[in-house]
Amino acid sequence: MVTEIILVGIPTTPALSGFLFLLFLLAYLVTILGNFLIITLIWVDYRLHSPMYFFLSHLSFSETLTITCAVPKMLVDFLSEKKTISLAGCFSQSYFYFLSACTEFILFAVMSYDRYIAICSPLQYPTVMTHPLCVRLVILSWLGGFLLILPSTILKGGLPYCGPNVIDHFFCDSAPLLHLACVDIKAIELLDFLSSLVLLISSLTLTMVSYVYIISTILKIPSVQGQRKAFATCASHFTVVSMGYGIAIFVYVRPSQKSNLHFNKILFVFSSVVTPLLNPFIFSLRNETMKEALKDTTSKIQIFLKGLKFN
């Protein structure tokens, strides 16, 4: 029975491994610092104490968890000859990665609903999107992700894994891990497919419907300046949603994922490294309120440091 799994990753030379290590380490650190900065600004700046930024802080935390589940082990493997992980560690990595990923897609739909209320019913927005409702929506997002992947995780944990013990991937992705089992896995593959389909299609439908109403409402605004301001509040979210859904549907909404595993590794880099890396820049650079909060916070820190210097 398999107790240890070998992660193949990218077959490289020592020099290339060192370069990739530095590249992914830089991407990981920038992502962690960027999301930490977003979360900190949202909690300390009063201008960001609104439902939209409350959901954004939890999205940033979810993306931090997603990249932390995958990249640190990848970095270790770049510098190690023995690229192994225990079977229990492999299941843990896979579970928490997909927990945060599922929660992220539910948060996409929640954020779309928030923008729909803000733009289509602005007078009712303060009474509808109350803080208790926002807290409940976030809790339901994490609970939904937990319940969605729990059945297949329990079934996979009960399968016999008798070899081979090699996964041709950077991390313990669901499909390559499942194909190490020495029993028929078609039923669990179907369950994974249906779970992915339900999650992505339901959240994508709610997101698309929300944006159809949002765009139709914005186009009715008489002034061009008003239209631009309304579009600006949704542009960052829409960009992130498009990248997230596009990659996820292409990779995971298939009955069998055994083929094209090499191509899946490339898409994994985009979904788990590039997208979380870009999201803090998308949300901060395209958002005037966020940029003003960052500028004011930076000024306060500089004044505080100057005060310490003179004291």
Side-chain angles (χ1 to χ4, degrees):
M1 301 298 293
V2 172
T3 58
E4 194 175 61
I5 291 174
I6 300 172
L7 298 174
V8 175
I10 305 177
T12 61
T13 62
L16 182 57
S17 293
F19 171 74
L20 291 175
F21 172 82
L22 293 175
L23 182 64
F24 281 100
L25 176 63
L26 179 62
Y28 178 68
L29 292 177
V30 171
T31 302
I32 296 298
L33 291 174
N35 283 310
F36 176 77
L37 180 61
I38 287 177
I39 294 171
T40 303
L41 286 175
I42 290 172
W43 283 98
V44 302
D45 195 291
Y46 71 94
R47 288 168 294 186
L48 304 179
H49 292 172
S50 67
M52 180 178 75
Y53 296 106
F54 177 74
F55 295 134
L56 176 58
S57 67
H58 286 274
L59 181 66
S60 296
F61 175 76
S62 174
E63 291 192 331
T64 301
L65 179 59
T66 299
I67 195 171
T68 301
C69 286
V71 172
K73 175 58 179 170
M74 188 193 308
L75 294 175
V76 172
D77 288 343
F78 279 134
L79 302 180
S80 175
E81 293 183 4
K82 189 180 181 182
K83 305 176 182 181
T84 60
I85 184 173
S86 67
L87 184 61
C90 198
F91 269 106
S92 299
Q93 185 188 48
S94 179
Y95 176 80
F96 284 106
Y97 175 85
F98 286 105
L99 169 64
S100 59
C102 290
T103 303
E104 193 171 319
F105 283 109
I106 300 174
L107 283 172
F108 283 159
V110 170
M111 293 174 74
S112 300
Y113 175 73
D114 170 71
R115 292 298 82 206
Y116 160 73
I117 298 295
I119 292 177
C120 298
S121 303
L123 298 179
Q124 299 176 0
Y125 184 74
T127 58
V128 174
M129 298 303 295
T130 60
H131 184 67
L133 176 62
C134 294
V135 172
R136 287 196 294 269
L137 288 174
V138 168
I139 293 174
L140 288 175
S141 297
W142 284 98
L143 184 62
F146 170 78
L147 295 177
L148 195 64
I149 64 173
L150 184 63
S152 63
T153 302
I154 294 175
L155 291 175
K156 292 172 188 175
L159 295 177
Y161 295 88
C162 49
N165 66 332
V166 178
I167 290 181
D168 187 11
H169 213 307
F170 304 109
F171 88 121
C172 297
D173 197 2
S174 176
L177 176 60
L178 184 58
H179 282 89
L180 299 185
C182 47
V183 293
D184 185 23
I185 58 172
K186 290 182 180 179
I188 300 180
E189 273 195 321
L190 179 60
L191 179 60
D192 277 346
F193 167 70
L194 293 176
S195 299
S196 302
L197 190 67
V198 169
L199 170 68
L200 294 174
I201 298 303
S202 60
S203 59
L204 179 60
T205 300
L206 180 58
T207 301
M208 293 297 294
V209 170
S210 298
Y211 270 101
V212 167
Y213 281 103
I214 288 170
I215 292 172
S216 63
T217 301
I218 290 175
L219 293 177
K220 294 177 184 177
I221 298 176
S223 67
V224 177
Q225 184 177 0
Q227 291 181 355
R228 289 178 179 175
K229 186 177 180 180
F231 272 121
T233 63
C234 303
S236 302
H237 177 253
F238 185 76
T239 303
V240 172
V241 165
S242 301
M243 291 191 299
Y245 279 114
I247 296 174
I249 290 176
F250 194 84
V251 175
Y252 293 108
V253 186
R254 287 180 293 171
S256 178
Q257 299 165 22
K258 189 173 182 179
S259 60
N260 297 323
L261 290 179
H262 293 290
F263 187 58
N264 284 357
K265 287 195 285 187
I266 299 174
L267 293 176
F268 164 78
V269 171
F270 277 97
S271 64
S272 302
V273 180
V274 177
T275 302
L277 173 65
L278 294 177
N279 286 352
F281 294 99
I282 293 173
F283 281 115
S284 58
L285 296 178
R286 297 179 65 93
N287 190 295
E288 292 298 327
T289 307
M290 187 74 73
K291 287 192 286 187
E292 291 174 4
L294 178 60
K295 185 186 298 183
D296 291 347
T297 303
T298 304
S299 300
K300 291 177 182 178
I301 293 174
Q302 290 176 345
I303 294 172
F304 176 75
L305 293 176
K306 289 180 179 178
L308 290 178
K309 183 179 180 180
F310 286 116
N311 291 334

